[in-house]
Amino acid sequence: MKASALACGLTLSIVLAAVPATAKTPVATGTGGAVATISEQASQSAMTILNQGGNAIDAAVAAAATLGVTDPFSCGIGGGGFMVIYLAKDKRVITIDHRETAPSSFTPHAFLENGKPVDFETAVASGAAVGVPGTVRGWHEALTRYGSMDFKRVLAPAISVADKGYKVTEIFSHLTAENERKFQLYAPTSALYLRNGKAVQPGALIRNPDMAKAYREIAAGGVKAFYEGPIARAIVDAVNKPPLAPGKTARPGRMSMADLANYEARIRQPLRSTYRGYEIYGMPLPSSGGATVAEALNILEGFDFKGMPRAQAEHTYLEASRLAFADRNAYLADPEYVDAPIAGILSKEYAAQRRTLIGKQAAHTVSAGDPYAYQNDQSVPLRPRRATHVPGRPQPESAHTTHLTVSDKDGNVVSYTFTIESWGGSGIVVPGYGFLLNNEMTDFDFSGPHPNVPEAGKRPRSSMAPTIALKDGKPAFTIGSPGGSTIITTVLQTIFNHLDLGMPMDQALNAPRLSERNGEATSIEPGFPGSKQARALEAYGHRWEAAPEEIGAANALVFNPDGTVTAVSEAKRHGIGAALVQRKGH
Ligand code: GLU
């Protein structure tokens, strides 16, 4: 015991000496490249790569790989994500969908037992929740198509952090404590993240040589090392026969080596909408993020917020979000399996019809509308059918994930959200490789009929909403956040705060978040109930969820008219984010 404590202390002092003594700063303005992430080490990795001449895509992968080490409960190579990229030379936006897919053994009954949905938490902490990870394939596509460096270069900073270790923060320790029961189920997870079955205390050092080894194998062998080599075998074994601690049980999954070898990322056209002269580029299906943000913005566009009392404006924002969520919950799912009425949902005429449903008082729950009548977006719409009254079907959705954003001196921009789904994913650390496997399959609806039921090879509907906004054909800002289905409202509210309430991006990000997802009560953050703002909204009939919780951890870039760029991260939430620029400006 003594020896290991000593060794730990020694390594810690080495790490502290190696990290420059810069305080984390949530806002930075400058020229050249810029980055905002929630982790200081990740932002520094991106800077290292930019300073070595890498572009925004290289730097985004470097930052993401480092987040996989320092924020392993939110993201990593055991999961998947969505990357939106603005390519300066071509002046176009593309997206890389590397969402996890259901193994080929999946059926719509995957989460039913005796005809009843499996308990959500039991489903989460299991091999059966694990989808085929997409992250490494996504990074490979990003680097080979749009990057300038290989895995060896961009993974180097993350390997160094995994080898040397990182200091456990308050948040890390708190999240571990919240997940103790899940982590106790699995022997390799307990060994890595618990000490005598309990959460590691803040200030302790965690090294992850196994994750460094996984990264080294990918650096040496490329994408195949992950999808076909010993790492693939270790993933399949961990899913099908979870590495349980003595006396514990969990539902196994059924994943095959072929499921991994056949995994493909998708290069998709971005979802483009317009808002008050901005072009908003977001993620298309299977993420509901882009479409839901766009529908709500289209609804909001019909209001003039100038001079409107703040509470009335925020009431309108909440109701627009509610209406968009009703459609999201009813219609959206993997486009390779379901013909979702996206053109209708995005149509300005449909938004005009939805807008008429906003009254003076909060509606609480609304039915989905009938976007099919607007599928062709004709200037004279088809006569709307009677609304189908498809109920919103709120399915438990847990939250967390990470979002990062990077730009480079040539004007390329990345907005990237990636995840392992719940905090700590399925809870299963892959033996010998030190990364957590996702529980993304619990993003499916457990029972149907519903467009988002599980099916073999299908991608569960996501809420991730990495966004890039253009004005006059040039990048204006980026925004994205973690937070499960609150991702959509965080992105929407930040855009609304920034463009409609006129807040600079840092204020837009730090304002209290209100998340209305067509429920009986709006999600809010600690400190909000009883505030003047809350009371003013209560006059419009809004009700608040009983247990306020911090919502999201957003990161943004703003491209200023004078040619500088401002990186903006959280000033209060999630232990403060890290914004860095290549050359400091004013
Ligand atoms: N699984 C979630 C989604 O794809 C993201 C993870 C989270 O933040 O909850 O929407």
mmCIF file of all heavy atoms in Angstrom, residues 74 80-82 99-100 286-289 328 397-402 417-423 439-440 442-443 460-465 481-488, ligand 1:
data_model
loop_
_atom_site.group_PDB
_atom_site.id
_atom_site.type_symbol
_atom_site.label_atom_id
_atom_site.label_comp_id
_atom_site.label_asym_id
_atom_site.label_seq_id
_atom_site.Cartn_x
_atom_site.Cartn_y
_atom_site.Cartn_z
ATOM 1 N N SER A 74 -17.778 10.230 -20.334
ATOM 2 C CA SER A 74 -18.627 10.946 -21.298
ATOM 3 C C SER A 74 -18.430 10.470 -22.730
ATOM 4 O O SER A 74 -19.310 10.669 -23.559
ATOM 5 C CB SER A 74 -18.295 12.439 -21.312
ATOM 6 O OG SER A 74 -18.315 12.969 -20.040
ATOM 7 N N GLY A 80 -19.580 6.571 -30.001
ATOM 8 C CA GLY A 80 -19.785 7.086 -31.352
ATOM 9 C C GLY A 80 -20.098 8.566 -31.307
ATOM 10 O O GLY A 80 -20.119 9.169 -30.229
ATOM 11 N N GLY A 81 -20.358 9.164 -32.462
ATOM 12 C CA GLY A 81 -20.641 10.599 -32.448
ATOM 13 C C GLY A 81 -20.974 11.161 -33.807
ATOM 14 O O GLY A 81 -21.163 10.426 -34.793
ATOM 15 N N PHE A 82 -21.048 12.489 -33.826
ATOM 16 C CA PHE A 82 -21.404 13.222 -35.042
ATOM 17 C C PHE A 82 -20.489 14.425 -35.185
ATOM 18 O O PHE A 82 -20.387 15.238 -34.268
ATOM 19 C CB PHE A 82 -22.853 13.699 -34.974
ATOM 20 C CG PHE A 82 -23.860 12.587 -34.904
ATOM 21 C CD1 PHE A 82 -24.432 12.219 -33.699
ATOM 22 C CD2 PHE A 82 -24.228 11.905 -36.061
ATOM 23 C CE1 PHE A 82 -25.367 11.193 -33.639
ATOM 24 C CE2 PHE A 82 -25.161 10.875 -36.015
ATOM 25 C CZ PHE A 82 -25.736 10.514 -34.801
ATOM 26 N N ARG A 99 -22.317 7.120 -35.608
ATOM 27 C CA ARG A 99 -23.204 6.621 -34.559
ATOM 28 C C ARG A 99 -23.026 5.106 -34.434
ATOM 29 O O ARG A 99 -22.830 4.406 -35.444
ATOM 30 C CB ARG A 99 -24.640 6.915 -34.987
ATOM 31 C CG ARG A 99 -25.731 6.514 -34.015
ATOM 32 C CD ARG A 99 -25.753 7.379 -32.830
ATOM 33 N NE ARG A 99 -27.002 7.335 -32.093
ATOM 34 C CZ ARG A 99 -27.112 7.855 -30.876
ATOM 35 N NH1 ARG A 99 -26.087 8.414 -30.267
ATOM 36 N NH2 ARG A 99 -28.275 7.818 -30.250
ATOM 37 N N GLU A 100 -23.148 4.606 -33.213
ATOM 38 C CA GLU A 100 -23.091 3.161 -33.013
ATOM 39 C C GLU A 100 -24.271 2.484 -33.723
ATOM 40 O O GLU A 100 -25.363 3.050 -33.790
ATOM 41 C CB GLU A 100 -23.172 2.804 -31.524
ATOM 42 C CG GLU A 100 -22.063 3.380 -30.674
ATOM 43 C CD GLU A 100 -22.391 4.756 -30.108
ATOM 44 O OE1 GLU A 100 -23.109 5.542 -30.777
ATOM 45 O OE2 GLU A 100 -21.917 5.044 -28.998
ATOM 46 N N PRO A 286 -29.404 10.029 -38.360
ATOM 47 C CA PRO A 286 -30.215 9.591 -37.215
ATOM 48 C C PRO A 286 -30.164 10.495 -36.000
ATOM 49 O O PRO A 286 -30.721 10.130 -34.960
ATOM 50 C CB PRO A 286 -29.634 8.212 -36.878
ATOM 51 C CG PRO A 286 -28.190 8.335 -37.248
ATOM 52 C CD PRO A 286 -28.186 9.189 -38.480
ATOM 53 N N SER A 287 -29.504 11.652 -36.078
ATOM 54 C CA SER A 287 -29.667 12.548 -34.951
ATOM 55 C C SER A 287 -30.894 13.412 -35.196
ATOM 56 O O SER A 287 -31.079 13.944 -36.301
ATOM 57 C CB SER A 287 -28.458 13.444 -34.726
ATOM 58 O OG SER A 287 -28.733 14.197 -33.557
ATOM 59 N N SER A 288 -31.682 13.550 -34.170
ATOM 60 C CA SER A 288 -32.845 14.443 -34.250
ATOM 61 C C SER A 288 -32.428 15.876 -33.950
ATOM 62 O O SER A 288 -33.250 16.789 -34.004
ATOM 63 C CB SER A 288 -33.914 13.996 -33.254
ATOM 64 O OG SER A 288 -33.423 14.078 -31.923
ATOM 65 N N GLY A 289 -31.123 16.063 -33.632
ATOM 66 C CA GLY A 289 -30.651 17.369 -33.183
ATOM 67 C C GLY A 289 -30.896 18.473 -34.198
ATOM 68 O O GLY A 289 -31.542 19.484 -33.898
ATOM 69 N N ARG A 328 -40.444 15.602 -32.963
ATOM 70 C CA ARG A 328 -39.228 14.780 -32.826
ATOM 71 C C ARG A 328 -39.569 13.434 -32.179
ATOM 72 O O ARG A 328 -39.186 12.373 -32.671
ATOM 73 C CB ARG A 328 -38.214 15.543 -31.972
ATOM 74 C CG ARG A 328 -36.976 14.746 -31.606
ATOM 75 C CD ARG A 328 -36.771 14.813 -30.095
ATOM 76 N NE ARG A 328 -35.540 14.190 -29.695
ATOM 77 C CZ ARG A 328 -35.482 13.259 -28.740
ATOM 78 N NH1 ARG A 328 -36.571 12.822 -28.130
ATOM 79 N NH2 ARG A 328 -34.322 12.753 -28.403
ATOM 80 N N GLU A 397 -34.245 8.967 -21.089
ATOM 81 C CA GLU A 397 -33.002 9.186 -21.832
ATOM 82 C C GLU A 397 -32.024 9.743 -20.834
ATOM 83 O O GLU A 397 -32.318 10.718 -20.161
ATOM 84 C CB GLU A 397 -33.196 10.210 -22.952
ATOM 85 C CG GLU A 397 -34.006 9.694 -24.113
ATOM 86 C CD GLU A 397 -34.096 10.724 -25.234
ATOM 87 O OE1 GLU A 397 -33.072 11.313 -25.593
ATOM 88 O OE2 GLU A 397 -35.202 10.931 -25.733
ATOM 89 N N SER A 398 -30.883 9.118 -20.733
ATOM 90 C CA SER A 398 -29.940 9.645 -19.762
ATOM 91 C C SER A 398 -28.998 10.596 -20.479
ATOM 92 O O SER A 398 -29.003 10.700 -21.688
ATOM 93 C CB SER A 398 -29.180 8.513 -19.107
ATOM 94 O OG SER A 398 -28.798 7.587 -20.065
ATOM 95 N N ALA A 399 -28.222 11.303 -19.695
ATOM 96 C CA ALA A 399 -27.386 12.332 -20.287
ATOM 97 C C ALA A 399 -25.948 12.132 -19.860
ATOM 98 O O ALA A 399 -25.699 12.084 -18.677
ATOM 99 C CB ALA A 399 -27.871 13.695 -19.858
ATOM 100 N N HIS A 400 -25.086 11.907 -20.702
ATOM 101 C CA HIS A 400 -23.937 12.725 -20.925
ATOM 102 C C HIS A 400 -23.015 12.348 -22.042
ATOM 103 O O HIS A 400 -23.149 11.301 -22.611
ATOM 104 C CB HIS A 400 -23.209 13.095 -19.663
ATOM 105 C CG HIS A 400 -23.342 14.579 -19.453
ATOM 106 N ND1 HIS A 400 -22.757 15.461 -20.292
ATOM 107 C CD2 HIS A 400 -24.053 15.293 -18.570
ATOM 108 C CE1 HIS A 400 -23.067 16.677 -19.904
ATOM 109 N NE2 HIS A 400 -23.866 16.619 -18.866
ATOM 110 N N THR A 401 -22.094 13.141 -22.337
ATOM 111 C CA THR A 401 -21.473 13.239 -23.640
ATOM 112 C C THR A 401 -20.477 14.373 -23.551
ATOM 113 O O THR A 401 -20.408 15.051 -22.547
ATOM 114 C CB THR A 401 -22.601 13.587 -24.637
ATOM 115 O OG1 THR A 401 -23.456 12.505 -24.715
ATOM 116 C CG2 THR A 401 -22.149 13.971 -26.003
ATOM 117 N N THR A 402 -19.769 14.660 -24.633
ATOM 118 C CA THR A 402 -18.947 15.858 -24.638
ATOM 119 C C THR A 402 -19.033 16.534 -25.998
ATOM 120 O O THR A 402 -19.316 15.874 -27.003
ATOM 121 C CB THR A 402 -17.491 15.531 -24.261
ATOM 122 O OG1 THR A 402 -16.844 16.726 -23.825
ATOM 123 C CG2 THR A 402 -16.703 14.945 -25.424
ATOM 124 N N THR A 417 -19.649 16.456 -31.496
ATOM 125 C CA THR A 417 -20.211 15.902 -30.263
ATOM 126 C C THR A 417 -20.030 14.396 -30.297
ATOM 127 O O THR A 417 -20.375 13.764 -31.302
ATOM 128 C CB THR A 417 -21.718 16.237 -30.140
ATOM 129 O OG1 THR A 417 -21.918 17.619 -30.457
ATOM 130 C CG2 THR A 417 -22.211 15.987 -28.727
ATOM 131 N N PHE A 418 -19.458 13.846 -29.236
ATOM 132 C CA PHE A 418 -19.350 12.373 -29.208
ATOM 133 C C PHE A 418 -19.505 11.843 -27.803
ATOM 134 O O PHE A 418 -19.384 12.556 -26.821
ATOM 135 C CB PHE A 418 -18.114 11.883 -29.956
ATOM 136 C CG PHE A 418 -16.799 11.849 -29.202
ATOM 137 C CD1 PHE A 418 -16.085 10.664 -29.087
ATOM 138 C CD2 PHE A 418 -16.258 12.994 -28.655
ATOM 139 C CE1 PHE A 418 -14.870 10.622 -28.444
ATOM 140 C CE2 PHE A 418 -15.041 12.966 -27.998
ATOM 141 C CZ PHE A 418 -14.340 11.776 -27.887
ATOM 142 N N THR A 419 -19.821 10.544 -27.705
ATOM 143 C CA THR A 419 -20.445 10.048 -26.483
ATOM 144 C C THR A 419 -20.232 8.555 -26.291
ATOM 145 O O THR A 419 -19.884 7.844 -27.235
ATOM 146 C CB THR A 419 -21.969 10.331 -26.566
ATOM 147 O OG1 THR A 419 -22.556 10.075 -25.300
ATOM 148 C CG2 THR A 419 -22.656 9.464 -27.592
ATOM 149 N N ILE A 420 -20.484 8.120 -25.047
ATOM 150 C CA ILE A 420 -20.732 6.683 -24.824
ATOM 151 C C ILE A 420 -22.128 6.510 -24.219
ATOM 152 O O ILE A 420 -22.431 5.502 -23.627
ATOM 153 C CB ILE A 420 -19.638 6.014 -23.948
ATOM 154 C CG1 ILE A 420 -19.451 6.752 -22.626
ATOM 155 C CG2 ILE A 420 -18.315 5.908 -24.717
ATOM 156 C CD1 ILE A 420 -18.530 6.005 -21.641
ATOM 157 N N GLU A 421 -22.969 7.563 -24.327
ATOM 158 C CA GLU A 421 -24.361 7.643 -23.872
ATOM 159 C C GLU A 421 -24.437 8.047 -22.403
ATOM 160 O O GLU A 421 -24.182 9.180 -22.107
ATOM 161 C CB GLU A 421 -25.145 6.358 -24.125
ATOM 162 C CG GLU A 421 -26.583 6.567 -24.539
ATOM 163 C CD GLU A 421 -27.472 7.374 -23.593
ATOM 164 O OE1 GLU A 421 -28.003 6.810 -22.627
ATOM 165 O OE2 GLU A 421 -27.660 8.574 -23.866
ATOM 166 N N SER A 422 -24.800 7.146 -21.470
ATOM 167 C CA SER A 422 -24.917 7.567 -20.061
ATOM 168 C C SER A 422 -23.541 7.880 -19.497
ATOM 169 O O SER A 422 -22.528 7.472 -20.066
ATOM 170 C CB SER A 422 -25.512 6.444 -19.222
ATOM 171 O OG SER A 422 -26.777 6.092 -19.690
ATOM 172 N N TRP A 423 -23.501 8.556 -18.347
ATOM 173 C CA TRP A 423 -22.226 8.676 -17.649
ATOM 174 C C TRP A 423 -21.665 7.278 -17.434
ATOM 175 O O TRP A 423 -22.329 6.431 -16.829
ATOM 176 C CB TRP A 423 -22.427 9.299 -16.262
ATOM 177 C CG TRP A 423 -22.781 10.751 -16.208
ATOM 178 C CD1 TRP A 423 -23.920 11.279 -15.680
ATOM 179 C CD2 TRP A 423 -21.981 11.859 -16.625
ATOM 180 N NE1 TRP A 423 -23.872 12.654 -15.764
ATOM 181 C CE2 TRP A 423 -22.702 13.030 -16.334
ATOM 182 C CE3 TRP A 423 -20.727 11.972 -17.230
ATOM 183 C CZ2 TRP A 423 -22.214 14.302 -16.617
ATOM 184 C CZ3 TRP A 423 -20.243 13.248 -17.515
ATOM 185 C CH2 TRP A 423 -20.977 14.383 -17.205
ATOM 186 N N ASN A 439 -23.535 2.486 -23.945
ATOM 187 C CA ASN A 439 -24.869 1.875 -23.782
ATOM 188 C C ASN A 439 -25.835 2.541 -24.761
ATOM 189 O O ASN A 439 -26.993 2.784 -24.433
ATOM 190 C CB ASN A 439 -25.378 2.034 -22.347
ATOM 191 C CG ASN A 439 -25.617 3.482 -21.974
ATOM 192 O OD1 ASN A 439 -24.687 4.285 -22.003
ATOM 193 N ND2 ASN A 439 -26.837 3.836 -21.631
ATOM 194 N N GLU A 440 -25.334 2.816 -25.986
ATOM 195 C CA GLU A 440 -26.126 3.603 -26.929
ATOM 196 C C GLU A 440 -27.428 2.920 -27.335
ATOM 197 O O GLU A 440 -28.383 3.588 -27.744
ATOM 198 C CB GLU A 440 -25.288 3.908 -28.177
ATOM 199 C CG GLU A 440 -25.556 5.263 -28.776
ATOM 200 C CD GLU A 440 -25.090 6.397 -27.881
ATOM 201 O OE1 GLU A 440 -23.895 6.447 -27.536
ATOM 202 O OE2 GLU A 440 -25.928 7.221 -27.512
ATOM 203 N N THR A 442 -29.675 1.811 -25.612
ATOM 204 C CA THR A 442 -30.837 2.239 -24.803
ATOM 205 C C THR A 442 -31.397 3.569 -25.293
ATOM 206 O O THR A 442 -32.366 4.061 -24.720
ATOM 207 C CB THR A 442 -30.493 2.324 -23.300
ATOM 208 O OG1 THR A 442 -29.491 3.319 -23.108
ATOM 209 C CG2 THR A 442 -30.022 0.997 -22.755
ATOM 210 N N ASP A 443 -30.812 4.145 -26.343
ATOM 211 C CA ASP A 443 -31.439 5.309 -26.996
ATOM 212 C C ASP A 443 -32.571 4.878 -27.936
ATOM 213 O O ASP A 443 -33.292 5.719 -28.467
ATOM 214 C CB ASP A 443 -30.409 6.132 -27.785
ATOM 215 C CG ASP A 443 -29.804 7.257 -26.954
ATOM 216 O OD1 ASP A 443 -30.163 7.382 -25.763
ATOM 217 O OD2 ASP A 443 -28.974 8.011 -27.480
ATOM 218 N N PRO A 460 -29.637 4.102 -33.281
ATOM 219 C CA PRO A 460 -30.689 4.705 -32.451
ATOM 220 C C PRO A 460 -30.754 6.210 -32.654
ATOM 221 O O PRO A 460 -29.731 6.851 -32.902
ATOM 222 C CB PRO A 460 -30.260 4.369 -31.023
ATOM 223 C CG PRO A 460 -28.821 4.011 -31.099
ATOM 224 C CD PRO A 460 -28.548 3.520 -32.492
ATOM 225 N N ARG A 461 -31.949 6.757 -32.543
ATOM 226 C CA ARG A 461 -32.121 8.200 -32.689
ATOM 227 C C ARG A 461 -31.287 8.927 -31.636
ATOM 228 O O ARG A 461 -31.279 8.551 -30.466
ATOM 229 C CB ARG A 461 -33.596 8.572 -32.498
ATOM 230 C CG ARG A 461 -33.852 10.062 -32.663
ATOM 231 C CD ARG A 461 -35.248 10.435 -32.181
ATOM 232 N NE ARG A 461 -35.395 10.141 -30.774
ATOM 233 C CZ ARG A 461 -36.538 9.825 -30.181
ATOM 234 N NH1 ARG A 461 -37.638 9.754 -30.874
ATOM 235 N NH2 ARG A 461 -36.578 9.572 -28.886
ATOM 236 N N SER A 462 -30.604 9.963 -32.072
ATOM 237 C CA SER A 462 -29.773 10.752 -31.164
ATOM 238 C C SER A 462 -30.352 12.159 -31.026
ATOM 239 O O SER A 462 -31.224 12.572 -31.791
ATOM 240 C CB SER A 462 -28.360 10.838 -31.740
ATOM 241 O OG SER A 462 -27.590 11.783 -31.043
ATOM 242 N N SER A 463 -29.826 12.871 -30.024
ATOM 243 C CA SER A 463 -30.168 14.300 -29.861
ATOM 244 C C SER A 463 -28.965 15.189 -30.111
ATOM 245 O O SER A 463 -29.051 16.410 -29.946
ATOM 246 C CB SER A 463 -30.644 14.568 -28.434
ATOM 247 O OG SER A 463 -31.785 13.832 -28.168
ATOM 248 N N MET A 464 -27.843 14.588 -30.458
ATOM 249 C CA MET A 464 -26.624 15.394 -30.572
ATOM 250 C C MET A 464 -26.790 16.442 -31.680
ATOM 251 O O MET A 464 -27.325 16.153 -32.743
ATOM 252 C CB MET A 464 -25.416 14.496 -30.801
ATOM 253 C CG MET A 464 -25.064 13.726 -29.520
ATOM 254 S SD MET A 464 -23.561 12.780 -29.642
ATOM 255 C CE MET A 464 -24.223 11.183 -30.077
ATOM 256 N N ALA A 465 -26.325 17.656 -31.386
ATOM 257 C CA ALA A 465 -26.621 18.772 -32.290
ATOM 258 C C ALA A 465 -25.408 19.672 -32.503
ATOM 259 O O ALA A 465 -25.472 20.883 -32.274
ATOM 260 C CB ALA A 465 -27.795 19.572 -31.732
ATOM 261 N N SER A 481 -23.359 20.931 -27.422
ATOM 262 C CA SER A 481 -23.362 20.629 -25.982
ATOM 263 C C SER A 481 -23.626 19.148 -25.769
ATOM 264 O O SER A 481 -24.216 18.496 -26.623
ATOM 265 C CB SER A 481 -24.478 21.421 -25.291
ATOM 266 O OG SER A 481 -24.544 21.095 -23.920
ATOM 267 N N PRO A 482 -23.251 18.621 -24.604
ATOM 268 C CA PRO A 482 -23.777 17.323 -24.187
ATOM 269 C C PRO A 482 -25.134 17.508 -23.506
ATOM 270 O O PRO A 482 -25.647 18.622 -23.440
ATOM 271 C CB PRO A 482 -22.735 16.841 -23.179
ATOM 272 C CG PRO A 482 -22.188 18.084 -22.580
ATOM 273 C CD PRO A 482 -22.252 19.134 -23.666
ATOM 274 N N GLY A 483 -25.676 16.404 -22.977
ATOM 275 C CA GLY A 483 -26.882 16.521 -22.144
ATOM 276 C C GLY A 483 -28.086 15.746 -22.628
ATOM 277 O O GLY A 483 -29.216 16.138 -22.332
ATOM 278 N N GLY A 484 -27.888 14.627 -23.380
ATOM 279 C CA GLY A 484 -29.038 13.838 -23.824
ATOM 280 C C GLY A 484 -29.993 14.725 -24.613
ATOM 281 O O GLY A 484 -29.566 15.574 -25.397
ATOM 282 N N SER A 485 -31.289 14.572 -24.361
ATOM 283 C CA SER A 485 -32.246 15.351 -25.156
ATOM 284 C C SER A 485 -32.183 16.839 -24.820
ATOM 285 O O SER A 485 -32.663 17.668 -25.601
ATOM 286 C CB SER A 485 -33.659 14.806 -24.987
ATOM 287 O OG SER A 485 -33.975 14.721 -23.619
ATOM 288 N N THR A 486 -31.562 17.219 -23.682
ATOM 289 C CA THR A 486 -31.400 18.659 -23.401
ATOM 290 C C THR A 486 -30.346 19.290 -24.311
ATOM 291 O O THR A 486 -30.225 20.516 -24.348
ATOM 292 C CB THR A 486 -31.014 18.956 -21.935
ATOM 293 O OG1 THR A 486 -29.666 18.529 -21.695
ATOM 294 C CG2 THR A 486 -31.939 18.283 -20.941
ATOM 295 N N ILE A 487 -29.587 18.479 -25.037
ATOM 296 C CA ILE A 487 -28.634 19.029 -26.015
ATOM 297 C C ILE A 487 -29.376 19.979 -26.956
ATOM 298 O O ILE A 487 -28.923 21.085 -27.256
ATOM 299 C CB ILE A 487 -27.979 17.905 -26.845
ATOM 300 C CG1 ILE A 487 -27.032 17.067 -25.985
ATOM 301 C CG2 ILE A 487 -27.242 18.497 -28.057
ATOM 302 C CD1 ILE A 487 -26.495 15.831 -26.696
ATOM 303 N N ILE A 488 -30.527 19.513 -27.408
ATOM 304 C CA ILE A 488 -31.293 20.271 -28.406
ATOM 305 C C ILE A 488 -31.701 21.624 -27.836
ATOM 306 O O ILE A 488 -31.561 22.662 -28.499
ATOM 307 C CB ILE A 488 -32.532 19.447 -28.836
ATOM 308 C CG1 ILE A 488 -32.059 18.206 -29.613
ATOM 309 C CG2 ILE A 488 -33.509 20.297 -29.641
ATOM 310 C CD1 ILE A 488 -33.138 17.184 -29.883
HETATM 311 N N1 GLU B 1 -27.044 9.258 -26.319
HETATM 312 C C1 GLU B 1 -27.353 10.648 -26.404
HETATM 313 C C2 GLU B 1 -27.793 11.014 -27.781
HETATM 314 O O1 GLU B 1 -27.291 10.493 -28.726
HETATM 315 C C3 GLU B 1 -26.182 11.477 -26.135
HETATM 316 C C4 GLU B 1 -25.647 11.211 -24.829
HETATM 317 C C5 GLU B 1 -26.171 12.150 -23.893
HETATM 318 O O2 GLU B 1 -25.703 13.279 -23.853
HETATM 319 O O3 GLU B 1 -27.058 11.727 -23.215
HETATM 320 O O4 GLU B 1 -28.607 11.863 -27.924
#
